[in-house]
Amino acid sequence: MSNVIALLHGPNLNLLGQREVDIYGTTTEADLLALVEKGAAGHGMTVEFFQSNHEGELVDQVHVVRHTCAAIVINGGALSHYGWSLHDALATFEGPVIEVHLSNTSKREPWRHTSVLTPVASGTIMGLGPHGYELAVDAIARLLNK
Ligand code: DQA
């Protein structure tokens, strides 16, 4: 079985560290990847990272990782709130899927309160900033018995 976690990032997450720092903080996407890689290594796992600002590219990447990865950590960005094709792609993934949001989307604008990815996620972590990514890796290790 694969020892690889797919870390998938949706639109605008490439701008983390510069973007709305009052909400998302100063941690960059590269910092988050390093955090996830470190956590994964502690469980004998590695990370395959992919970011796109385009829904179809994320759908394509889910199709790729269906064959290469044991689990998915996904922050879909705004696509989380309306990306039904991403929902359908994730529904085809057999391993654990952990949805992460840096901010607590339930405390923000009403349109952020629903995530269409939540029904196809094993669990969702939100509002804990970068620590949520570390928790997501630990959850995956637990779900995979690593
Ligand atoms: C986000 C929350 C989304 O509502 C937003 O569109 C993002 C980031 C988060 O990590 O808090 O791009 O997913």
Side-chain angles (χ1 to χ4, degrees), residues 2-146:
S2 161
N3 265 337
V4 187
I5 298 173
L7 174 61
L8 304 182
H9 265 178
N12 302 304
L13 295 175
N14 54 315
L15 295 183
L16 283 175
Q18 307 164 38
R19 166 193 184 213
E20 297 180 280
V21 292
D22 48 321
I23 297 171
Y24 300 118
T26 51
T27 304
T28 66
E29 195 174 53
D31 295 336
L32 289 177
L33 175 57
L35 211 57
V36 170
E37 282 176 335
K38 189 170 171 215
H43 298 289
M45 301 189 78
T46 58
V47 180
E48 191 174 300
F49 173 67
F50 182 81
Q51 188 275 335
S52 178
N53 295 317
H54 307 279
E55 183 170 1
E57 287 186 0
L58 285 157
V59 168
D60 286 343
Q61 188 63 16
V62 172
H63 295 182
V64 169
V65 306
R66 288 176 75 231
H67 305 292
T68 56
C69 294
I72 294 176
V73 174
I74 183 161
N75 183 343
L79 284 173
S80 312
H81 311 301
Y82 65 91
W84 288 108
S85 66
L86 189 53
H87 162 284
D88 284 356
L90 290 170
T92 74
F93 188 79
E94 285 182 0
V97 175
I98 306 293
E99 178 186 11
V100 178
H101 297 284
L102 291 158
S103 64
N104 181 351
T105 54
S106 294
K107 276 208 310 209
R108 300 180 61 196
E109 304 94 318
W111 62 268
R112 294 186 203 269
H113 293 183
T114 300
S115 166
V116 301
L117 306 186
T118 301
V120 287
S122 313
T124 301
I125 299 166
M126 63 161 77
L128 301 179
H131 184 46
Y133 283 73
E134 296 177 301
L135 294 173
V137 171
D138 289 344
I140 278 169
R142 182 76 69 97
L143 291 166
L144 293 174
N145 294 315
K146 295 280 179 193

